[in-house]
Amino acid sequence: TSSTTDVKELIPEFFMPGGDFLVNGSQLALGVRQSGLPVNDVVLPPWAATPEQLLAVHRAALEAPYVSANLHHWIELIFGHKQRGPAAVDADNVFYHLTYEGAVDITKVTSLQELKALETQINEFGQTPKQLFTHPHPPRMVQPPAPDPATVFSHISGSSSSSKPAGEAAAGGASKARLRGG
């Protein structure tokens, strides 16, 4: 999506070996798309031949020097001093007031209609994580070399590696990690 209000982020599983969560191995009936086609396995980007390759490229991008050098900016936006207040305003990182922790004490809501509205707000738009840091987060001190997607999971017992050579996996469009709000 090109919407600037879409701030979904990938779950940790997108950076770990495996890939079963991307495949409907049990052939569950997951519904039908508007096009009439059944919902089944996750559709992979053209540069990823397998779920394992997708995850390996994600992990390699996450551990790339660019991300290592800039990860503290993301931490500041999500959990740190740029989550609330003037620093959040300056970083264009302000969300609807009901998304912030402590904005409403639902135990004190007496109206069933208001409680349902608050629950719908949370379910539809999510919640901002708890603010953990109130000062700038330090950058990573060590900048490791860029990992090869073909071998990024090789240190983990039982993991499978990419089915394409490393050059093909990386050349297909593994983009730099986009920092939220950036």
Side-chain angles (χ1 to χ4, degrees), residues 76-78 82-83 88-89 91-95 100 180-181:
E76 290 171 351
L77 290 169
I78 305 301
K82 291 183 180 177
Q83 185 194 77
V89 173
D92 198 20
N93 192 42
V94 179
F95 297 91
Y100 292 97
R180 180 173 165 241

Side-chain angles (χ1 to χ4, degrees), residues 1-8 178:
T1 179
S2 60
S3 171
T4 58
T5 61
D6 188 351
V7 293
K8 295 175 186 77
R178 183 177 172 272

Side-chain angles (χ1 to χ4, degrees), residues 97-160:
H97 73 278
L98 289 180
T99 67
Y100 292 97
E101 179 183 49
V104 176
D105 183 354
I106 60 169
T107 63
K108 294 186 177 169
V109 175
T110 57
S111 163
L112 184 59
Q113 183 178 6
E114 185 179 353
L115 184 60
K116 293 268 187 209
L118 290 169
E119 288 174 350
T120 300
Q121 165 71 29
I122 291 167
N123 289 334
E124 294 294 322
F125 301 104
Q127 288 184 292
T128 304
K130 180 178 180 67
Q131 186 177 24
L132 302 176
F133 309 107
T134 56
H135 299 291
H137 197 278
R140 187 172 183 180
M141 300 301 286
V142 176
Q143 302 298 322
D148 181 348
T151 60
V152 72
F153 293 134
S154 62
H155 67 284
I156 299 171
S157 174
S159 69
S160 59

